[in-house]
Every structure is written in C-alpha cells, then in structure tokens.
C-alpha cells in the first residue's frame, strides 16, 4: 500500500483542519503544492509544510505518523483509500465520509463520524461526545457506514443518526441514540442514563442501562431473527472487529413513546 | 443411436428465454423452511396456466443463509420481470409470511431488482420497521409468533431459460416412474435449476394449439399410447407410457447441465426398469431460441 505520510514537527499550537489530506485530493498534487495547503485555523494561516514533515508519494493511503487532539476533520469526506493515524485525532474525524477506511490508533474527540454516509471508521482508543451525531446545520446525523470504537464513547452518541452501525466495545455515555431515526448502536459494556431520548426509530443493543426512560415500555423477551442477520452481516463485514453474535433471546424495550415509539432497546436476556 | 440398450433419438429439446428470480426461505428447522418453500411453489407448474413456474432449487445449510438458520432456495420463472413481480409478492405474502418462524431473503444476486418485501411489509399496518445493512434493506413485520423478516428486493435475470426437457419412453409404467424420479434427483444436484411439475415429472406433455377455440395447448397425442393407431404416433409398439421432465434454469448452461445429469441417470438406471427410449420435445426449432441436442449432452 503506497501513500503519503505526515509527521507533526511539534505539538500544534492551534487547531488544524486536515480535511484536504485524503488520498484522492492529494493524488494529483506535487509535494510543493501539498506543502502549501492551508491547515491552520488562525490568522497565521499555517500550511502543511509549516507543521508536518512530508514523506512517501501519493497513493491509495495517507498516514499521520503521530497524532494530536488538535487534528480536526481527519479523513473528512474520504470516499476511497485509507487514512491511518498513529495517535489521537481532534473533532470531526471521518466527517461526511462516504467510503474507504479511517483507522485511528488513539483517541478521537467529539463528533467522530458526524454525517458519515459510508466506509469504515475504527478507533483503537475512546471517542468523545456526539459520535455519528448531527452537526448544527445538518438535517441528520450519520446516514450509513460502520464505526467501531474499541474504548468508550461519550454522551449523545448517534444524535439524529439515520442509518449505519456504531459498535462500542466499552460503554456509551448519557442519552445514547437521542433523536435517532434509524441505524444501530451496539455497546459491549452498556449505556449511560436515558438512552433513546426522543428516539423515533433505530436499535440500541447493550448488556445494561444505567437509567431507563419512563417512556420506554418493556415488550418482553424475544428471539429476534434480525439480530441473527445483523450479527452475520457484521461478522462478514468486520471479521475480528465484529461484536459477539447474539443468537439467544433479548429483552426488548420499545420507545421513545414520547415520539412515535418505533425504536428499540435490546438487552440480551 | 443406442446407449446401454436405450435408444437416444436424434432430436433436441426446444426451450425459451424467460426471466428468473429466487428467494431464500429460512425457518427454525429445515422442515419448516421446506414447508414454506413447498407451499410457495404450489400451483407453479406452467407459466401459461399458473403465472409462474416455481420450484425448490436446493436446501441450504445454516452457514449458507443470511440468518444462520436452515433454509431452502426457491426459484421462480416468468415471461418478464414485470410478470414475476406480482407472483413473487403474492406467493411470499400468502405462503411464506404465513408460515411459522419463517424469514425470506433475496435468492438471486443481480443488478436488476424486483420487489420482495415491498408489498408484504404493509401487512405490518404501520408497525413494520426496516433495517439497512450494507446495500440491503430488511423489513421486520410484527406477526403473532414474533417478527417476519423479509428483504426488500430480490435480483431478477432476463436471460433465464424455461422448457428444457427430456421425454422418457418405456415398457414398464412403474419402472418408468422410478427412473424419472431418479433423474429428477440427479437434476437436484445441479444448481440454479428447478423441475416445476409435480415431483419434477409431467405425464401430460402438450402440443401447441387445439381443435377447441381458446385452448392454447392440448394433449401431445403423438406421445399418448392409447391413441397409437388413431393418430400419427411417435411411439413404438412396445411403449406403454411416456413421462417428461421439464427443466427451468437461471442460465442456459444450468439447463444443459441438468439435462446431462438426467440423461446420465436414465442411461444408468433406466434399462433395468423398462426404459427403452429417450427423446425430447420441440416445435421444429421455430419457437424457442435454445436448442439442446440430446446426443451432444450424452455422458
């Protein structure tokens, strides 16, 4: 796999917008042109060459050899190829991605995979608030693709999420799946308080809930075929990254009955 | 030409271009998946009278199905995708949705799609929900034993073939039926084909047209043993019965492979059971664009 590498010369002193640094957008640029891309967010107008040491040659991947919580919009609008980050990323990583893969080997800050439409986002560490969520001005949150977070996720994960799947190996924060319109959030360790607040449709799966909303109703214990389909789909798509399949019964809570109540919270029974 | 004592006519089966689609039906057990598949395949022998030709392609192991349960693949053939669509909707809605524990998925992977769960989903009366996984949308319809999961669409191919056939002639009616059964079982090993008639076997081969107005097909008198002497018969003096196996396939190669399997079985099993001759049905080569010459398909 060939591609360009970017190494931070020093810890950034300002937030950097690296949304232009994806394989497709760099494919036709010379090294000089790449180094002149503005990534700074202050009036200093820092350029790639000011903050990164550039290596490799354009190809189907881009690698950030060291990360920082100041790197915003990593892999934004990625549609093919792979972006690797050997460290942390800032806000809006994978924003409006439609294909390809974003592989973050550290933590991600807020709004990871906001507006995601396709592709795969993996985070070895934890993610901040509003994973896959709607950004102000957006009509919806995440609308497709898959996110796998090996650590924990913050509050409001999946806010106004419409489609796609988010898998969290750790625990989700408060009001996961709030205002959700579709898609699936699956946590291995459980949900914080009040998941599904004002959720219309969609599926929340986890072993426990810190506090259940009064507007979710217990529909009983069920064996759901769709969970078998989902488990097999994720196993085929993600391989070892897939969650452990659910083949037995789950307790299903339907909600949020403060809206149309077609969402569900499933807890393996 | 004689092979293992069986006369092979120098003729060909004439088959037609059709559209084909398919579904995978799963259930809690192989028995109930098959039950739904058999019910869905009912009244699906001839496209002329039934609207579609429907049959079981094969049983699927749990690891081969989208939900990891035992399954059965059913294929449907019709004149066009538009003609197949209502057949698929009605058969899934009446025969699969109603079957305990069932789920139904696309059984043909093709770019062109026709509705599978698009109609039956309305049975959910507003309580149905959808789940999109990758490129596929699955409907979840609440029913009295849980949920009926059905994929939104299935693929449809327009280069399918209907009407591949083998005629089996012999001097022992019971032996002839046993030989035909063995041939149908051999065809069952070939993927992407069905034998849509009862048990895969037809005893009422037809010719085009009739003396009666409005009848598009009528009995193939030339192959009816009780009419020998009255009509221009195709049958020798020792032939007491003729059975036909009709084959539909998603591709011409699949139909040819199925006919090969049938011929191999008939030549091996048939002589000891009274099979004396193998022939094939055609219309002089003028109606169907697929011609399967028996002698080219011999083992």
């Amino acid at each position: 796999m060939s591609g360009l590498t970017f190494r931070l010369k020093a810890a950034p002193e300002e937030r950097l917008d690296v949304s232009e640094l994806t394989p497709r957008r760099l494919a036709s640029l010379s090294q000089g042109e790449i180094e002149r891309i503005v990534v700074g967010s202050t009036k200093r107008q820092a350029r790639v060459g000011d903050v990164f040491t550039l290596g490799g040659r354009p190809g189907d991947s881009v690698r950030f050899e060291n990360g920082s919580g100041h790197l915003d919009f990593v892999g934004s609008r990625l549609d093919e190829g792979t972006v690797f980050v050997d460290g942390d990323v800032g806000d809006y990583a994978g924003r409006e991605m439609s294909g390809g893969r974003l592989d973050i080997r550290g933590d991600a800050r807020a709004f990871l995979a906001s507006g995601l439409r396709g592709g795969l986002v993996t985070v070895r560490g934890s993610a901040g608030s509003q994973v896959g969520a709607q950004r102000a001005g957006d009509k919806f949150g995440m609308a497709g693709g898959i996110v796998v977070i090996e650590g924990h996720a913050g509050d409001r994960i999946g806010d106004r999420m419409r489609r796609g799947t988010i898998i969290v190996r750790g625990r989700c924060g408060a009001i996961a799946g709030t205002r959700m319109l579709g898609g699936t959030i699956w946590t291995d360790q459980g949900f914080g308080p009040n998941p599904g607040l004002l959720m219309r449709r969609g599926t929340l799966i986890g072993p426990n809930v810190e506090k259940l909303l009064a507007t979710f109703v217990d529909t009983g214990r069920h064996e759901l075929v769709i969970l078998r389909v989902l488990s097999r789909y994720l196993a085929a798509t993600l391989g070892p990254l897939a969650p452990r399949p659910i083949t037995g019964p789950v307790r299903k809570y339907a909600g949020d009955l403060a809206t149309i109540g077609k969402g569900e919270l499933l807890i393996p029974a | 030409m004689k092979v293992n004592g069986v006369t092979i006519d120098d003729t060909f089966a004439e088959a037609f271009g059709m559209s084909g689609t398919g579904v995978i039906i799963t259930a809690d057990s192989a028995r109930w998946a098959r039950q739904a598949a058999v019910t869905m395949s009912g009244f699906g022998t001839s496209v002329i009278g039934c609207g579609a030709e429907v049959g079981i392609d094969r049983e699927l192991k749990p690891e081969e199905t989208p939900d990891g349960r035992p399954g059965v693949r059913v294929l449907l053939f019709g004149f066009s995708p538009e003609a197949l669509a209502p057949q698929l909707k009605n058969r899934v809605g009446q025969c699969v949705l109603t079957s305990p524990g069932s789920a139904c998925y696309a059984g043909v992977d093709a770019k062109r799609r026709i509705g599978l769960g698009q109609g039956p989903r309305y049975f959910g009366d507003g309580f149905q929900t959808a789940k999109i996984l990758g490129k596929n949308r699955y409907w979840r319809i609440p029913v009295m034993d849980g949920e009926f999961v059905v994929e939104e669409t299935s693929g449809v191919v327009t280069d399918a073939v209907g009407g591949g056939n083998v005629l089996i002639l012999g001097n022992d009616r019971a032996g002839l039926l046993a030989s035909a059964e063995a041939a149908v079982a051999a065809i069952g090993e070939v993927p992407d084909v069905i034998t849509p008639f009862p048990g895969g076997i037809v005893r009422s081969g037809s010719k085009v047209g009739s003396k009666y107005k409005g009848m598009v097909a009528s009995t193939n008198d030339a192959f009816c043993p009780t009419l020998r002497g009255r009509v221009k018969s195709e049958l020798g003096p020792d032939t007491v019965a003729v059975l036909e196996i009709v084959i539909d396939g998603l591709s011409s190669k699949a139909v040819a492979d199925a006919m090969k399997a049938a011929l191999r079985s008939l030549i091996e099993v048939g002589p000891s059971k009274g099979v004396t001759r193998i022939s094939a049905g055609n219309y002089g080569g003028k109606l169907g664009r697929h011609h399967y010459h028996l002698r080219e398909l011999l083992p």
Side-chain angles (χ1 to χ4, degrees):
Chain A
M1 190 180 289
S2 64
L4 289 161
T5 61
F6 296 84
R7 171 169 282 278
L8 282 167
K9 293 175 177 173
E13 295 173 0
E14 59 181 295
R15 304 210 68 78
L16 302 177
D17 177 349
V18 296
S19 58
E20 289 302 308
L21 308 185
T22 62
R24 183 192 284 272
R25 273 171 266 164
L26 300 179
S28 58
L29 301 183
S30 67
Q31 180 166 340
E33 288 171 321
I34 294 169
E35 287 179 337
R36 285 194 292 277
I37 295 173
V38 175
V39 292
S41 58
T42 66
K43 64 181 180 182
R44 284 178 52 226
Q45 294 286 285
R47 295 169 189 273
V48 167
D50 301 330
V51 291
F52 291 107
T53 302
L54 195 58
R57 59 183 59 183
D60 54 6
S61 73
V62 162
R63 179 180 290 273
F64 293 88
E65 293 185 335
N66 47 2
S68 164
H70 282 68
L71 293 182
D72 294 338
F73 294 100
V74 176
S76 174
R77 289 184 285 135
L78 184 71
D79 56 358
E80 62 179 12
T82 306
V83 174
F84 296 98
V85 186
D86 291 322
D88 299 341
V89 297
D91 298 331
Y92 298 108
R95 163 91 180 146
E96 292 185 332
M97 239 176 86
S98 59
R101 179 171 181 181
L102 171 58
D103 186 356
I104 300 163
R105 310 279 170 93
D107 293 337
R109 285 172 45 125
F111 286 101
L112 172 74
S114 157
L116 189 80
R117 296 195 298 276
L120 173 63
V121 177
T122 55
V123 179
R124 295 280 174 91
S126 293
S129 67
Q130 288 144 296
V131 175
Q134 175 193 36
R135 188 188 185 195
D138 289 350
K139 194 169 182 185
F140 302 111
M142 181 170 155
I146 302 177
V147 180
V148 180
I149 300 164
E150 300 202 15
H152 304 296
D155 298 344
R156 299 181 73 96
I157 183 173
D159 179 18
R160 278 188 73 75
M161 174 178 176
R162 195 177 186 197
R163 291 192 196 105
T165 305
I166 302 175
I167 296 158
V168 182
R169 293 258 179 274
R171 200 167 171 79
C172 292
I175 52 172
T178 177
R179 306 190 295 169
M180 199 167 164
L181 300 158
T184 304
I185 301 174
W186 187 333
T187 164
D188 279 355
Q189 292 185 19
F191 292 103
N194 301 329
L197 177 71
L198 295 178
M199 166 186 205
R200 294 175 69 82
R201 298 184 186 84
T203 304
L204 303 174
I205 306 169
N208 57 68
V209 176
E210 199 173 315
K211 181 184 165 223
L212 190 65
L213 284 164
T215 44
F216 271 67
V217 61
D218 184 358
T219 72
R221 201 164 162 268
H222 306 283
E223 288 188 15
L224 298 176
V225 171
I226 194 69
L227 286 179
R228 303 174 68 103
V229 179
L230 175 64
S231 295
R232 287 176 74 82
Y233 163 74
L234 291 176
T237 307
L238 297 175
L241 290 175
R244 203 151 47 98
I246 295 176
T247 53
V250 294
R251 185 158 288 278
K252 175 179 167 175
Y253 296 88
D256 185 347
L257 296 177
T259 67
I260 60 174
K262 292 174 87 170
E264 60 187 352
L265 170 63
L266 306 176
I267 299 177
Chain B
M1 176 182 194
K2 278 199 171 193
V3 180
N4 200 23
V6 178
T7 300
I8 310 295
D9 283 3
D10 185 10
T11 188
F12 59 92
E14 186 173 350
F16 303 87
M18 292 186 95
S19 292
T21 186
V23 296
I24 292 171
I25 300 170
T26 65
D28 296 326
S29 64
R31 182 196 158 210
W32 276 102
R34 175 165 272 276
Q35 180 62 64
V38 167
T39 308
M40 180 185 175
S41 306
F43 190 59
T45 55
S46 166
V47 69
I48 296 168
C50 307
E53 298 183 4
V54 190
I56 291 173
D57 174 15
R58 65 190 181 100
E59 296 198 0
L60 302 171
K61 295 174 187 155
E63 55 268 25
E64 296 178 283
T65 67
D67 61 22
R69 302 187 301 165
V72 175
R73 187 187 193 211
V74 175
L75 299 180
L76 300 88
F77 295 86
F79 287 129
S80 67
E82 293 74 23
L84 271 175
Q87 287 288 328
L88 188 59
K89 182 182 101 173
N90 290 339
R91 287 169 187 271
V92 169
Q94 298 301 315
C95 308
V96 185
L97 182 151
T98 54
S99 183
S102 68
C104 192
Y105 309 97
V108 168
D109 185 15
K111 194 172 179 183
R112 187 164 181 179
R113 315 292 292 180
I114 58 174
L116 174 54
Q118 279 175 348
R121 76 183 170 102
Y122 290 108
F123 185 72
D125 197 26
F127 295 103
Q128 72 273 21
T129 57
K131 180 71 66 189
I132 295 177
L133 301 174
K135 293 179 180 173
N136 304 326
R137 184 194 295 264
Y138 300 90
W139 286 101
R140 301 166 60 188
I141 302 163
V143 287
M144 294 195 302
D145 74 347
E147 284 182 347
F148 175 55
V149 174
V150 58
E151 200 167 336
E152 170 138 302
T153 60
S154 186
V156 60
V157 295
T158 53
D159 55 354
V161 175
N165 67 79
V166 177
L167 290 166
I168 312 158
L169 297 78
N171 54 24
D172 176 356
R173 208 165 66 86
L176 207 60
L177 185 56
S179 301
E181 285 175 342
V184 169
I187 292 171
E189 300 298 315
V190 178
D192 294 342
V193 295
I194 59 166
T195 50
F197 283 91
I201 303 165
V202 196
R203 65 95 173 261
S204 58
S206 60
K207 67 178 183 292
V208 175
S210 163
K211 68 181 279 188
Y212 298 109
K213 192 177 172 185
M215 288 284 286
V216 292
S218 61
T219 192
N220 193 356
D221 48 68
F223 281 87
C224 292
T226 58
L227 296 180
R228 189 168 29 216
R230 285 202 58 199
V231 298
K232 189 182 174 188
S233 180
E234 289 280 344
L235 308 181
D238 63 334
T239 300
V240 298
V242 181
L243 294 176
E244 182 177 2
I245 299 173
V246 173
I247 302 159
D248 297 338
L250 291 176
S251 67
S252 181
K253 180 180 182 304
V255 172
D257 288 346
M259 285 184 63
K260 276 183 197 171
L263 287 171
R264 188 183 305 115
S265 171
L266 289 167
I267 287 165
E268 280 172 16
V269 176
S272 63
K273 295 186 179 298
V275 173
T276 56
R277 188 178 146 202
I278 298 172
S279 189
N282 63 64
Y283 311 95
K286 293 174 184 168
L287 294 181
R289 66 189 174 96
H290 299 279
H291 299 166
Y292 300 96
H293 292 266
L294 294 181
R295 293 185 179 186
E296 293 172 7
L297 298 173
L298 289 173

